[in-house]
Every structure is written in C-alpha cells, then in structure tokens.
Amino acid sequence: MASLSYASAAKIAAREMRSSRGKFFFVILSIAIGVAALTGVRGFSSSFRGALLTRARSIMAGDLAARMFQQITPDQQKGLDEIASEGVEITPVTELLSMASSPKTLDPLLISLKAVDPTKYPFYGKVDLESSDALSKVLGDDTVVVADDLLIRLHLKLGDQLTVGSKNFRIASVVTNEPDRLSGNFAAGPRVLISRTGLDASGLLAPGSHSGQRYLFKVPPPRNGAPISEIRVADLKSRLEKILPESQVTDYRETNPALTQGLDRATSLLSLMSLVALVLGAIGVAMAMRAHLQQRLDTIAIMKSLGARSGQIIKIYLLQTLLLGILGGLIGVALGIGVQLAFPYLLARLINAQTDVHLQVRTVLTGLGAGVLTTMLFTLPPLLDIRSVRPILILRRSVEDSDDPFTTAIRKKITKNLAQIGAALLILIGLALIAITLSDSAMVGAVFSVGLVVVLAVLLAASSGLLAGLRFFLSRTRLHLPSSLRHGLANLYRPGNPSAALLAAVGMGVMQIMTVYLVQQAVVQELHMSSAPDLPNVFMIDITTDEIDGVRKLLVAQPGVTIAPEMLPVVSSRIVAIDDVPASEVKLKNFPRRMLQTISLTWSATPPPGTKTVAGTWWAADSTALQVAVAKRQADRLGVKVGSTITFAAQDKEIVATVAALIEADGQHAYSRAEFILPQPVLAALPVVWYGGVHVDPARVEGLQRALYKAYPTVTVINVAAALETVRNVVIQITYVIQFLAAFSIFAGIVILASSIAGTRYRRIREVVVMKTLGATRSRIATVFSIEFAVLGLVAGLVGVSFANLIARTLLRRLSIDYHFEWTWTLGALIGTALLAIITGWAASHRILGQKPLEVLREE
C-alpha cells in the first residue's frame, strides 16, 4: 500500500467521525467538560484571588510595611531612595504617645498620635470619617482627626481646639475606621490622626526620638494591567530586610492570621480543583476512546487485510484523536469562559465583592493545551494496541478476547511491548508538566503525577481483587442465587468486559470528587469558626488586678455585649538569654534587639481560645514546671524551637523556662497577642496588668466606652469592630467562593463519570443480540444490566470513598485542620455512585433493548 499522506489520513479520520457522531459524543463531552472546569475554575479563582489580595492590601494600607523604633540612618535612607527610584511609592507613618488637652479645660489626656501624609496615605483602602469626606480634604497643617472616645473624655465637639505639643489644632472630623487599624499599634489612649507637617509644628518629634515609625510601600503594577506579582513583593521584602535589619518587615499576606490562612487554604483548594478537573477529564477521554477503538477492531483488521500498515492506521486514529481533542477543547474553552463570566453574577447575591474578571490568555491556552495534551496522552496505549491487531481477528473474533484478569493482561502487554512502557512514561511526564503549569510548583507537579500513578495502580489492584473475590463468591453460591442476580454479577468479569479498568476509572473519579468535597467542607468549617459573628471586636488595656472583677461585671451587664469577656493577664518582663546565650549576642531574624527588653508574659492552664499547638505538647492543667509556649512567628525570629531554653527576668526574679510548645493564634481573641504563655504558678506573686476582649454590637460601642470611662477612667478601650468586620467579610467571601467552585467541579466530575460509564454501551449491543437470540426477554435483560450497573457503582464507590478519606485526612493534616470522618456523606456517596451508574448506564443503553437481532447480525 502506498504511503498515506496526512491530508488523506485526516480525510479518513473526519469521514469516520461524521459517520459515528454518537460514539464520539462521549469523547467530546469528556474533553469539553474537563477543559470547561479547568478554564472556568482556574480563570475565576485567579480573578477572585486578585480581588482578595487587594482587600488584604487595604488591611495593611500597602503592599509591605516596615516597623522601626528609631530614626532611620543615612545609609538606610539611601537604600530606600534607591527603591523609590524604581517606582515603588513610600510613605512613613509615625506613631507615638503624647499628651493632649483642650484650651477650655486644660485637662491633660494621654493620646495615641498617628502622623501620616494625607496625600499618599493610605495606598489601599480608605480612612472612614463620620463626615464621609476624604482624609486629604480634612487633614491639613492645622487640623486633626480624632476618635470619638477623645470627644467623650475631653467633652469636646467638632470644630473645637485640641492642644498637641506646643500647637493648637482644630478637630476637623471623627475617624471611624482606618484600613491599617489591625496592623498599627494598640497603644493606650484615644487615637489622633495628624499630618506630618502638623507633627513637625507640634515640636513633639525631636532628633533621635524613639517613636514608632512604620514605612508603607506600594509596588507599581505591571503596565499590562495584570495583578502585582507576589514574587515582586517577596523580592522587595527580602531587600528591605537587608536594608533595615532592625525592623519588622511584613507583607500584605501577614496582616491578619485568619485572612492569611483563608487565602492560603483557598489557593491550595483552588489548585486542587484545577488538577482534579484535569484528571477527571483525562479519565473520561481514556474510557471513551478505549471503547471507541475496541469497536473499530474489525475495521482495523479489514484495513490490514487490504495491505494497510500499522503506522498508517495509527496515523489515521492519531489525527482523529487530535481533531477530537481540539474540538472538545474549543467547546470547553467557550464553556469555561462563559462560566468564568457567569460566576460573579451568580455570587453577587451571596457576597458583596466586586470581582473584575479578566479573560487571561494564559488560562485559555492552558485549558486548551491541557485538554488536547491529555487526550493525546491517554489514547496512546489503545492506539499502540493497533499494532497487535491481526487480520485473522475477523474470523476469530468470538474467541479473541482474553480471559485473563485485567492486571495480568496489562502485565503481559507491558512485558511484550516496550512501546507501552514508553507511553506510560510519556503520560507521567505530560501530567507532571501540566500539574507544574497549573500549580506553579515543580514539587507539586512531581508529587501529583507520581501520586496519581501510585493511586491508579492501587485502584487497579483493589478493583481486580474485588472482582476476584466476587468470582470466588459466585463459585460457592452459584446454585443458591436467582439466575438474574447470578448473570448480572457474572457480567462484571465476562471476557472482554473492561470491568477492572472501568472500576478503577470510576473509583478514581469518585475519589477525586469526594476528596474535593471533604477537604472544602473541613476548610469552610474552619473558616466559619474564624469568622464567627461573636468574636471579640472591642479590646481593653491597662486594667489593674483591683479593677478586673468590676470590669467583668460591668461588661456582662452592658447592653450589646453578646459573649462573656475574655481576660488576659500580662506580666512585664524581658529576655536576658536564649539557650544560655546572652540577649546581647543572640542572632535575631528581623527583630529589633531592644524589643527583648519589653516582653509580655501570660499564663494559661490549657491552650487559650483561638490558639493551636503546632509543635510540641501543652503541659498538664496543674503543672508547676518551668515551661513556656511561644508563638511560632516569634520563635522563628528568636531562633528557638521545642526544647530550647529562654531566660526571662521579671522584677527581681529570673525564670529559666523550657520551650514546651509552639503555637499559632487566629488573631481573633484576646490571647492572640500573647506570645509567651507559662503555667500560672510560675508567674505567681508578680505584678499583673490585665487586657480584655469582648464582642459588642458595633452600634453600642460608644455606650460601652462611656460606661467604662465613667466607672474606670484609666482603662483604654480599643474599638476595632469595623476593621474586624472587614476581615470577617473577606473570609466569608472566601468560603462562598470555595463552596461554589467546589460544587461546580463536583458537578463537572459527575458529568464526566457519567459519560465514562455511558461509553460502554457499544460493547453491550452484541451481548443483547445473543441473549435475545437465546430467548431472553427485555425485562430479564434489563434486570441483568441493572444489577451489573448497581454493583459496578457500589464497588467503584467503595474503593473511591475509601481512598478519598485517606487522602483528605492527609491533606487536612498538612493544612493543620482537624479531620472528621463523615459517615453521612460517605454512605451518600456510595448510594449516589450506584444510582449514577444505573441512571447513566440505562440512559445510554436503553435503546439497544429495542434493536432486533437481525439488524445487528447483518452488520457483521
């Protein structure tokens, strides 16, 4: 036979596609749904993540912040000037304690002064004022903006004069919220915002002053309008840590632990969903193309009888596969773009977030490329099987199918044919490359591809084992079972039935879908806990031991208080040594050495609310041992780990405590600011100051402030209700998006699995003909097939949910989230898989019951 050109091969492939539209429907459907899920989930999650990161930036008021407690040196200023010359905007925020008074009463009041440049501050977000004006309009050289509690304490009103330092300022407005309220200082006294020019005129900032200085940085966005690269922010952070070694440099992801965890977990889940969409699509393609090529064995044998070579036939079906991949990929991209554009409208009623959806060319090309590549990869093994097809197959068709178990047949194939090994390696490499592209991590790509192969091998083994067990069971109970049940069960391992492959494919699909559900359920539950509506939103400082009981009673009796107040005892201390190394010689990581002189200690018998132990173990409730639990972030800066010793000095007492545990706080409770926790007996008899936290209806915070000031004028109330509500809203938005995208991924997976099961309909036609020829009625055939579908679904569901729970448990542990076995959803998944198998099996196969045997036999 003459050489076959690609043009001729493409014509033959296209002609066969036109004549077999029904067969190729399931292939195209699997590709399209997989690509649509991949493109839609990845595209929208990228856009939404960009919107969330913008909200996170507004909570810091910049991309990065560097906190210092001393004046900047000339060399450091030179480094900052170099950064500014690259387009990075910089503005300082000075925070210090001062005294203020009213010219009317001259009563002094300790205030928390915050000096900003209103033309630049804040880079993100806005300062909320009662007058609804912009900060730059009301804050000038001779005006200030104050918190409402200052007006309460000094009996002032808008327009009155306030003396700060040596200058009088007019009170221009009342501040209700600042975007960086959670990342600023929680200092004693009402807060007052002043311009930097006004601060200079007040005479408070003398040369060499140790006032708190916080520099905010804004990275210029790319010219193409894309989001600011996280890599660019990370690089700038590294440079700042070198330029300002005594400063604490943080980026926008570290503004609030609950928000940071929410973003990290959302990112992990969305990447997982993209990979799951890829695998589910590949499963559908593999099963549908395998069924199609099995149906074309006669045609292939005839072509070989006429002189066609294996390479020419492979060329035809390779081009056919490519055409199917491109067609399904284009349809999937169109559906994915539609889904991506529809998500914001569907979510608009659930969350109040403006998400600008950008159709990213990279996402579209990634989805299309992944669809075509997975189609080509997963059809390589059946395409290579074409070489083993012999013309004699036409005459020996009825006995050609091997009776070997699936794994044995695969082992023989691989031993016999090295090309299959090459195909398997290509699939592994291709999946790794796609996973690396989707997750932006070489490690994730390698782990995902290798893990997929391992899981697939285990699933094949488990499926073959279950089929062998079923065969053994039937051999012992064959005469005691109804004939329809016996026939339906025996169908699972009849010659030529790809039950093990189908069980492994459906089992993997169920595993992927169930894993997504279990992980997102646990993550969402954890996020709901961190965004509960009754978390403390008003904090109090400088409560003495004599006042603590009275403050508790006042808070409980105050209207608008919804939970019992949380009280945190604080003992002032300093660190004098770490692991017997003097504090002056300890190597610190971006932690000012002078901060070692102002350490706060507290006590607790059990892990406080909102705190998790991430390393080591907590002590017994009645422990008196010299042990300490250290906040992990602080431990990293101090270079301590479990087993290290820290020497504290409080008053005249030295405490040498062993680090028993490292902890992480959610940032939502009073104890979240406790970085060193010891057993209560260790701190007995030392002077204590108390901090408090309570949740108050935001509309009643002013009443609480007045009541506390009247009864306890030295107690400072810090109202962060508005700032915490911002964080809470963002976390709630994350949970809704995770649930919505997970639901879409699960739906797409179910459709793909249904098409995989339905794709086996063509193998049943000849069986129905034989059974009808032997006298079987439609009802009997329907009963036999229904039993086969149901058992197939139950067995695949059992294997899938078992592995899903194992994988979910491992993933949740990596995310530091508790795993709980979901009995209800596990049983529901088992029953649901069985129903899915029955419904989709019959939806695709019911028409073959009406076919007459002669119609099929004539085609032979």
Side-chain angles (χ1 to χ4, degrees):
M1 186 176 182
S3 60
L4 183 69
S5 66
Y6 280 98
S8 299
K11 288 180 182 179
I12 297 173
R15 188 180 302 116
E16 185 175 283
M17 288 173 61
R18 287 195 299 270
S19 63
S20 305
R21 294 186 183 90
K23 296 179 181 180
F24 290 116
F25 172 77
F26 299 113
V27 180
I28 295 174
L29 179 64
S30 297
I31 300 170
I33 295 295
V35 172
L38 182 63
T39 306
V41 170
R42 184 171 172 80
F44 180 74
S45 64
S46 176
S47 299
F48 186 74
R49 177 176 166 77
L52 286 181
L53 293 181
T54 300
R55 297 290 295 274
R57 288 177 167 93
S58 69
I59 295 173
M60 175 175 275
D63 290 310
L64 299 105
R67 184 186 298 278
M68 306 177 64
F69 295 92
Q70 58 190 20
Q71 294 286 337
I72 196 169
T73 65
D75 288 341
Q76 292 171 343
Q77 184 61 56
K78 183 179 179 181
L80 294 183
D81 291 341
E82 183 179 345
I83 290 176
S85 66
E86 300 172 3
V88 177
E89 295 184 60
I90 306 174
T91 186
V93 177
T94 303
E95 296 168 310
L96 69 157
L97 293 176
S98 180
M99 300 301 294
S101 63
S102 166
K104 295 180 180 179
T105 62
L106 300 181
D107 293 331
L109 177 67
L110 183 66
I111 62 170
S112 175
L113 196 62
K114 179 176 179 179
V116 299
D117 180 353
T119 62
K120 290 185 176 182
Y121 170 87
F123 288 134
Y124 298 96
K126 64 185 290 286
V127 177
D128 295 326
L129 305 175
E130 280 189 356
S131 60
S132 300
D133 292 323
L135 182 67
S136 58
K137 290 185 177 180
V138 299
L139 187 60
D141 297 346
D142 57 354
T143 60
V144 292
V145 174
V146 303
D148 54 358
D149 53 343
L150 182 135
L151 301 180
I152 294 172
R153 295 189 175 220
L154 292 180
H155 307 287
L156 298 175
K157 63 182 184 299
L158 293 182
D160 288 345
Q161 296 290 312
L162 181 72
T163 303
V164 179
S166 58
K167 182 176 174 58
N168 290 336
F169 295 87
R170 180 175 58 85
I171 300 176
S173 187
V174 174
V175 58
T176 57
N177 186 40
E178 305 152 60
D180 57 342
R181 180 62 172 144
L182 294 177
S183 56
N185 280 335
F186 277 11
R191 65 192 188 280
V192 175
L193 269 66
I194 189 172
S195 68
R196 299 202 62 81
T197 305
L199 177 64
D200 294 338
S202 70
L204 292 175
L205 196 61
S209 171
H210 287 276
S211 59
Q213 189 88 324
R214 187 158 47 93
Y215 285 90
L216 298 178
F217 300 85
K218 180 182 181 181
V219 178
R223 293 182 180 180
N224 60 5
I228 297 173
S229 169
E230 294 180 44
I231 298 176
R232 177 78 187 275
V233 175
D235 291 342
L236 180 58
K237 181 179 179 181
S238 299
R239 290 179 62 186
L240 289 173
E241 288 174 344
K242 294 177 181 178
I243 296 172
L244 309 172
E246 288 291 312
S247 67
Q248 298 179 39
V249 182
T250 54
D251 62 36
Y252 58 91
R253 292 174 55 86
E254 301 173 86
T255 53
N256 183 272
L259 183 59
T260 300
Q261 288 181 356
L263 285 170
D264 290 342
R265 289 167 179 172
T267 300
S268 300
L269 263 179
L270 296 175
S271 296
L272 174 65
M273 290 176 199
S274 296
L275 293 173
V276 166
L278 165 69
V279 175
L280 290 175
I283 290 172
V285 169
M287 294 306 301
M289 285 301 295
R290 188 179 190 277
H292 166 63
L293 289 176
Q294 287 291 327
Q295 287 296 307
R296 307 309 297 172
L297 288 180
D298 288 353
T299 302
I300 294 170
I302 291 172
M303 293 173 70
K304 285 196 173 184
S305 299
L306 297 176
R309 295 189 299 272
S310 295
Q312 295 172 326
I313 299 174
I314 290 176
K315 182 186 292 185
I316 293 172
Y317 286 98
L318 189 65
L319 288 174
Q320 189 177 86
T321 301
L322 181 61
L323 290 172
L324 288 171
I326 294 174
L327 179 60
L330 291 174
I331 295 174
V333 166
L335 289 174
I337 292 174
V339 167
Q340 185 179 345
L341 294 175
F343 271 147
Y345 298 101
L346 295 175
L347 286 170
R349 296 183 180 181
L350 296 178
I351 59 175
N352 182 25
Q354 296 296 325
T355 303
D356 295 327
V357 177
H358 302 284
L359 296 180
Q360 301 173 352
V361 176
R362 180 184 175 186
T363 299
V364 172
L365 293 179
T366 300
L368 181 60
V372 174
L373 183 57
T374 51
T375 302
M376 300 296 292
L377 288 174
F378 277 84
T379 52
L380 271 180
L383 283 174
L384 291 174
D385 282 344
I386 290 175
R387 298 179 309 160
S388 62
V389 176
R390 298 289 180 264
I392 196 66
L393 176 65
I394 301 172
L395 302 176
R396 299 179 54 191
R397 173 175 58 206
S398 58
V399 296
E400 184 66 16
D401 288 333
S402 173
D403 197 28
D404 292 332
F406 182 77
T407 50
T408 304
I410 288 293
R411 186 172 60 252
K412 287 182 178 179
K413 280 185 178 181
I414 294 177
T415 305
K416 183 179 176 181
N417 197 341
L418 293 177
Q420 293 287 355
I421 299 176
L425 291 175
L426 278 176
I427 291 175
L428 182 63
I429 295 171
L431 286 177
L433 292 175
I434 296 173
I436 290 171
T437 302
L438 295 179
S439 61
D440 299 319
S441 169
M443 179 62 70
V444 171
V447 171
F448 173 78
S449 54
V450 174
L452 183 64
V453 171
V454 172
V455 170
L456 182 59
V458 174
L459 282 171
L460 281 170
S463 300
S464 298
L466 285 171
L467 289 176
L470 181 61
R471 193 169 191 171
F472 177 80
F473 169 75
L474 283 179
S475 68
R476 295 292 185 271
T477 60
R478 186 180 302 275
L479 299 179
H480 304 286
L481 297 176
S483 59
S484 296
L485 177 61
R486 186 171 66 245
H487 193 172
L489 294 176
N491 265 3
L492 291 171
Y493 56 82
R494 70 184 183 276
N497 188 11
S499 294
L502 187 59
L503 280 174
V506 177
M508 177 170 283
V510 173
M511 178 195 74
Q512 301 271 2
I513 293 170
M514 194 66 180
T515 299
V516 168
Y517 175 80
L518 292 175
V519 174
Q520 70 87 21
Q521 183 82 350
V523 169
V524 166
Q525 185 176 359
E526 187 85 2
L527 289 174
H528 276 312
M529 291 174 61
S530 66
S531 61
D534 58 352
L535 291 171
N537 60 358
V538 173
F539 295 90
M540 294 142 285
I541 61 176
D542 295 338
I543 307 171
T544 65
T545 302
D546 295 336
E547 296 172 331
I548 188 65
D549 291 334
V551 170
R552 275 199 180 100
K553 291 179 182 178
L554 186 149
L555 292 174
V556 171
Q558 191 69 19
V561 174
T562 60
I563 58 170
E566 300 177 6
M567 293 300 174
L568 169 70
V570 174
V571 174
S572 296
S573 175
R574 67 183 190 278
I575 294 178
V576 296
I578 297 177
D579 287 328
D580 297 327
V581 177
S584 59
E585 301 176 13
V586 171
K587 293 183 179 180
L588 304 176
K589 184 179 179 181
N590 295 108
F591 188 77
R593 196 171 299 277
R594 65 184 295 271
M595 293 292 289
L596 297 177
Q597 305 300 313
T598 55
I599 295 296
S600 296
L601 309 179
T602 188
W603 69 71
S604 181
T606 58
T611 299
K612 283 187 176 182
T613 302
V614 295
T617 55
W618 200 271
W619 48 82
D622 57 352
S623 174
T624 60
L626 296 175
Q627 301 180 87
V628 61
V630 184
K632 187 177 185 304
R633 185 176 174 184
Q634 195 77 331
D636 292 339
R637 288 173 170 173
L638 298 177
V640 302
K641 57 185 182 298
V642 174
S644 299
T645 59
I646 303 177
T647 304
F648 300 99
Q651 298 290 319
D652 296 328
K653 180 180 180 180
E654 279 200 357
I655 303 169
V656 182
T658 302
V659 177
L662 301 182
I663 58 175
E664 285 184 350
D666 61 5
Q668 310 294 309
H669 294 268
Y671 268 89
S672 295
R673 292 189 171 270
E675 296 179 326
F676 300 92
I677 307 176
L678 295 86
Q680 195 275 338
V682 177
L683 300 179
L686 290 173
V688 177
V689 173
W690 294 79
Y691 290 7
V694 68
H695 184 272
V696 186
D697 182 349
R700 295 181 177 269
V701 173
E702 184 177 341
L704 175 67
Q705 288 178 315
R706 292 180 183 275
L708 273 172
Y709 174 65
K710 183 177 180 181
Y712 303 98
T714 59
V715 175
T716 299
V717 178
I718 300 173
N719 176 17
V720 292
L724 287 179
E725 189 64 19
T726 299
V727 174
R728 179 173 173 268
N729 287 336
V730 174
V731 174
I732 289 174
Q733 291 165 14
I734 293 173
T735 63
Y736 277 129
V737 170
I738 288 175
Q739 288 176 309
F740 202 85
L741 294 182
F744 177 74
S745 297
I746 291 171
F747 170 75
I750 291 173
V751 173
I752 292 172
L753 285 187
S755 69
S756 299
I757 297 171
T760 63
R761 67 183 291 265
Y762 297 101
R763 298 188 61 88
R764 304 181 186 281
I765 294 177
R766 187 177 292 114
E767 184 177 351
V768 170
V769 167
V770 173
M771 292 175 69
K772 280 189 173 183
T773 303
L774 296 176
T777 62
R778 288 189 182 185
S779 60
R780 181 178 178 82
I781 296 173
T783 303
V784 169
F785 279 3
S786 296
I787 292 172
E788 181 184 351
F789 291 142
V791 174
L792 178 69
L794 284 173
V795 173
L798 178 63
V799 174
V801 298
S802 299
F803 281 98
N805 278 278
L806 289 174
I807 294 173
R809 183 177 182 179
T810 303
L811 289 175
L812 291 174
R813 283 187 174 180
R814 293 291 300 272
L815 294 173
S816 301
I817 299 176
D818 295 332
Y819 163 81
H820 302 286
F821 184 76
E822 299 280 352
W823 283 103
T824 304
W825 287 104
T826 299
L827 291 175
L830 281 174
I831 298 172
T833 307
L835 291 175
L836 177 69
I838 295 172
I839 293 171
T840 56
W842 275 117
S845 305
H846 73 281
R847 291 182 60 187
I848 66 177
L849 291 180
Q851 287 187 299
K852 296 180 180 180
L854 192 58
E855 294 176 0
V856 178
L857 293 175
R858 279 176 175 170
E859 294 180 0
E860 304 296 317

